[in-house]
Amino acid sequence: MPFRAPVADYRFILDHVADFGRVAATDLFAEATPETVEAILGEAGKLCENALAPLQRAGDLKPAKLENGVVRTTPGFAEAYGQIAEGGWVAISASPENGGMGLPLSVTTCVNDMMSAACLSLQLNPLMTQGQIEALEHHASDALKAVYLPKLVSGEWCGTMNLTEPQAGSDVGALSTKAAPNGDGTYAITGQKIYISWGDNDFSANVCHLVLARLPDGAPGTKGISLFMVPKFIPDESGEPGQRNSLSVVSLEHKMGLHGSPTAVMSYDGATGWLVGEEHGGMKAMFTMMNNARLGVGVQGIGVAEGAYQHALAYAQERKQGKTPDGSPTIFGHADVRRMLATMRAQTFAARSIALSCAVALDMARATGDADWAARAALLTPIAKAYGTDTGIEVANAGMQVHGGMGFIEETGAAQYLRDVRVTAIYEGTNGIQAMDLVGRKMMDKGEAAWRLLEEIQSGAEAARGTLPELAGAVWDAAEELREATERLVGQEMQDRFAGAVPYLRAFALVLGAQAHLAAALAEAGGPEVAGGGGIGGDGGGPRTRLARVFIRRLLPEHGALLAHAGAGAGDLYALDLEDLGA
């Protein structure tokens, strides 16, 4: 089935939901005019439809392989990556000083979304490089920037992130990789890292690894960790790849999905590295990269949801099975199939709106230096990551169900979406960790950032009562319940918060998603509350409004049960012993 990049959806959300106009109105991003953004998204859409989407199945059927220490990538990936690099798509948001476009992260987020929908295995590669570029721009010395950033921005070289070790997953502070000073400003890096996405390839001139390691005087835990640039080939005096470094790919993981993306076990045997940032300041530098990656991973989930939805919708319009109530010749006429497709579409729109609102907040924080925007971005990041990836999994699963028995048959391609997206809820911090971050670190302000956001939601819903009273009232009520639950949450002990963190995050996401759908319906109805709104008149009967009804009437009510779960505390969980759990 041909993939269609949902460019119109991005434009609509940017204009009517996420309020991208505020970003374009800043001095920093003044060049991000509507015409420029539309042109960029249109060209990216063509790349995704024509170059990336045809490789979706190829990556699954002809995975990356390790042969005699060399990674051989899926046929066609090298050529498609060449188009990504040549088009400047790796570094849309990178500084123009290093060859980047300097455009808002909001635009990059749209492009990453559609690339993920077209071929997630390949999209993972530029996502890793984007995070590395940001980390280097913020923390590297001028000398390191001069050598690495132009090559990474151009796509000539690729970047990776090396955190995890066999004994140190989410507990990064337990790492054992060592960094010993060589006496010449470089360091000898020794250790093993696992789960390194795109740890090597056969189409870029160099692979640049950001590696967390501990100096001899590094304290135990995360406070003693430093960050190092460790390239596959050590740059020579002219900045070109020179001597091979003392690192290697030990093996590639045998994974449930993402077969086209080589996930490497990396070994460093006294490899030459350069310090990035300050000694023992590795986590600060790495979090710059990880926060970028967390939004990016959430968008990967949303992209896969888009691909799975389009796949299922096409199948539902072709498959003939049973007599439908409306006389339709295909299963599209069955109520339950319509329920699944409508839910898939509504969830994807909600998750995409949350992610782009997070990107807008990040752009505004960067452009204005305003602390409130930074707090908004920090609050939305774990929600965007967790809800985006959960949505990808749920939509891909529903896509298989739409296919019926054929969904379980690999030849249809429906199962690949679910296999590929499943890991996104795990990496860059599991979704449970995202939820704990939301109720813990992001609530250290006693909920102030949350209050401001909820006040906006309720004010918007109140203003919409005259145009769409039923939908507006439901959104206002849900936001009020969430506000009350948040008041109770900030008064709880931390372990009680953690016990209900996942349902709380989900409830928050549903309220945000409902706000997005309400804004979309208002824009379609030409409501005065939405800047630039126009279109079908005041009856609110267009496709955006019909989709909003599905989300607000059918999905939003789940938030009440989720908040009840969130407030239950941890006592009953810790009252259970192994015998109770059947051990």
Side-chain angles (χ1 to χ4, degrees), residues 115-126:
M115 284 188 177
S116 300
C119 184
L120 180 58
S121 284
L122 183 54
Q123 188 273 340
L124 261 167
N125 183 294

PDB file of all heavy atoms in Angstrom, residues 115-126:
ATOM      1  N   MET A 115       9.004  10.580   8.611  1.00  0.00           N
ATOM      2  CA  MET A 115      10.042   9.600   8.310  1.00  0.00           C
ATOM      3  C   MET A 115       9.823   8.314   9.098  1.00  0.00           C
ATOM      4  O   MET A 115      10.045   7.206   8.591  1.00  0.00           O
ATOM      5  CB  MET A 115      11.424  10.172   8.614  1.00  0.00           C
ATOM      6  CG  MET A 115      11.941  11.162   7.596  1.00  0.00           C
ATOM      7  SD  MET A 115      13.680  11.589   7.920  1.00  0.00           S
ATOM      8  CE  MET A 115      14.007  12.684   6.534  1.00  0.00           C
ATOM      9  N   SER A 116       9.388   8.442  10.338  1.00  0.00           N
ATOM     10  CA  SER A 116       9.116   7.261  11.171  1.00  0.00           C
ATOM     11  C   SER A 116       7.959   6.456  10.602  1.00  0.00           C
ATOM     12  O   SER A 116       7.963   5.225  10.655  1.00  0.00           O
ATOM     13  CB  SER A 116       8.787   7.687  12.600  1.00  0.00           C
ATOM     14  OG  SER A 116       9.858   8.390  13.189  1.00  0.00           O
ATOM     15  N   ALA A 117       6.968   7.143  10.078  1.00  0.00           N
ATOM     16  CA  ALA A 117       5.835   6.456   9.469  1.00  0.00           C
ATOM     17  C   ALA A 117       6.254   5.710   8.218  1.00  0.00           C
ATOM     18  O   ALA A 117       5.766   4.605   7.938  1.00  0.00           O
ATOM     19  CB  ALA A 117       4.737   7.466   9.128  1.00  0.00           C
ATOM     20  N   ALA A 118       7.183   6.294   7.471  1.00  0.00           N
ATOM     21  CA  ALA A 118       7.612   5.691   6.214  1.00  0.00           C
ATOM     22  C   ALA A 118       8.542   4.507   6.434  1.00  0.00           C
ATOM     23  O   ALA A 118       8.372   3.438   5.836  1.00  0.00           O
ATOM     24  CB  ALA A 118       8.289   6.742   5.340  1.00  0.00           C
ATOM     25  N   CYS A 119       9.549   4.669   7.310  1.00  0.00           N
ATOM     26  CA  CYS A 119      10.526   3.596   7.563  1.00  0.00           C
ATOM     27  C   CYS A 119      11.257   3.881   8.864  1.00  0.00           C
ATOM     28  O   CYS A 119      12.287   4.559   8.871  1.00  0.00           O
ATOM     29  CB  CYS A 119      11.519   3.486   6.406  1.00  0.00           C
ATOM     30  SG  CYS A 119      12.688   2.104   6.592  1.00  0.00           S
ATOM     31  N   LEU A 120      10.742   3.370   9.953  1.00  0.00           N
ATOM     32  CA  LEU A 120      11.305   3.667  11.273  1.00  0.00           C
ATOM     33  C   LEU A 120      12.735   3.162  11.406  1.00  0.00           C
ATOM     34  O   LEU A 120      13.570   3.827  12.027  1.00  0.00           O
ATOM     35  CB  LEU A 120      10.423   3.054  12.362  1.00  0.00           C
ATOM     36  CG  LEU A 120      10.879   3.275  13.803  1.00  0.00           C
ATOM     37  CD1 LEU A 120      10.988   4.758  14.117  1.00  0.00           C
ATOM     38  CD2 LEU A 120       9.926   2.597  14.784  1.00  0.00           C
ATOM     39  N   SER A 121      13.045   2.022  10.837  1.00  0.00           N
ATOM     40  CA  SER A 121      14.398   1.467  10.982  1.00  0.00           C
ATOM     41  C   SER A 121      15.458   2.426  10.482  1.00  0.00           C
ATOM     42  O   SER A 121      16.514   2.580  11.100  1.00  0.00           O
ATOM     43  CB  SER A 121      14.509   0.138  10.215  1.00  0.00           C
ATOM     44  OG  SER A 121      13.866  -0.903  10.907  1.00  0.00           O
ATOM     45  N   LEU A 122      15.183   3.088   9.357  1.00  0.00           N
ATOM     46  CA  LEU A 122      16.164   4.029   8.813  1.00  0.00           C
ATOM     47  C   LEU A 122      16.102   5.363   9.540  1.00  0.00           C
ATOM     48  O   LEU A 122      17.132   6.002   9.773  1.00  0.00           O
ATOM     49  CB  LEU A 122      15.933   4.224   7.313  1.00  0.00           C
ATOM     50  CG  LEU A 122      16.928   5.136   6.587  1.00  0.00           C
ATOM     51  CD1 LEU A 122      18.369   4.685   6.818  1.00  0.00           C
ATOM     52  CD2 LEU A 122      16.625   5.187   5.095  1.00  0.00           C
ATOM     53  N   GLN A 123      14.908   5.810   9.932  1.00  0.00           N
ATOM     54  CA  GLN A 123      14.774   7.104  10.602  1.00  0.00           C
ATOM     55  C   GLN A 123      15.541   7.168  11.899  1.00  0.00           C
ATOM     56  O   GLN A 123      15.981   8.241  12.323  1.00  0.00           O
ATOM     57  CB  GLN A 123      13.292   7.407  10.857  1.00  0.00           C
ATOM     58  CG  GLN A 123      13.009   8.815  11.372  1.00  0.00           C
ATOM     59  CD  GLN A 123      13.107   8.954  12.892  1.00  0.00           C
ATOM     60  OE1 GLN A 123      13.018   7.961  13.616  1.00  0.00           O
ATOM     61  NE2 GLN A 123      13.271  10.180  13.366  1.00  0.00           N
ATOM     62  N   LEU A 124      15.729   6.030  12.555  1.00  0.00           N
ATOM     63  CA  LEU A 124      16.489   6.003  13.799  1.00  0.00           C
ATOM     64  C   LEU A 124      17.889   6.574  13.630  1.00  0.00           C
ATOM     65  O   LEU A 124      18.445   7.159  14.567  1.00  0.00           O
ATOM     66  CB  LEU A 124      16.598   4.558  14.306  1.00  0.00           C
ATOM     67  CG  LEU A 124      15.641   4.116  15.394  1.00  0.00           C
ATOM     68  CD1 LEU A 124      15.666   2.602  15.533  1.00  0.00           C
ATOM     69  CD2 LEU A 124      15.987   4.774  16.712  1.00  0.00           C
ATOM     70  N   ASN A 125      18.466   6.415  12.453  1.00  0.00           N
ATOM     71  CA  ASN A 125      19.845   6.863  12.241  1.00  0.00           C
ATOM     72  C   ASN A 125      19.966   8.390  12.349  1.00  0.00           C
ATOM     73  O   ASN A 125      20.726   8.886  13.189  1.00  0.00           O
ATOM     74  CB  ASN A 125      20.348   6.356  10.890  1.00  0.00           C
ATOM     75  CG  ASN A 125      21.794   6.726  10.628  1.00  0.00           C
ATOM     76  OD1 ASN A 125      22.134   7.893  10.488  1.00  0.00           O
ATOM     77  ND2 ASN A 125      22.659   5.729  10.561  1.00  0.00           N
ATOM     78  N   PRO A 126      19.231   9.175  11.570  1.00  0.00           N
ATOM     79  CA  PRO A 126      19.367  10.632  11.724  1.00  0.00           C
ATOM     80  C   PRO A 126      18.883  11.140  13.075  1.00  0.00           C
ATOM     81  O   PRO A 126      19.387  12.169  13.552  1.00  0.00           O
ATOM     82  CB  PRO A 126      18.527  11.196  10.573  1.00  0.00           C
ATOM     83  CG  PRO A 126      17.669  10.081  10.110  1.00  0.00           C
ATOM     84  CD  PRO A 126      18.411   8.819  10.403  1.00  0.00           C
TER      85      PRO A 126
END
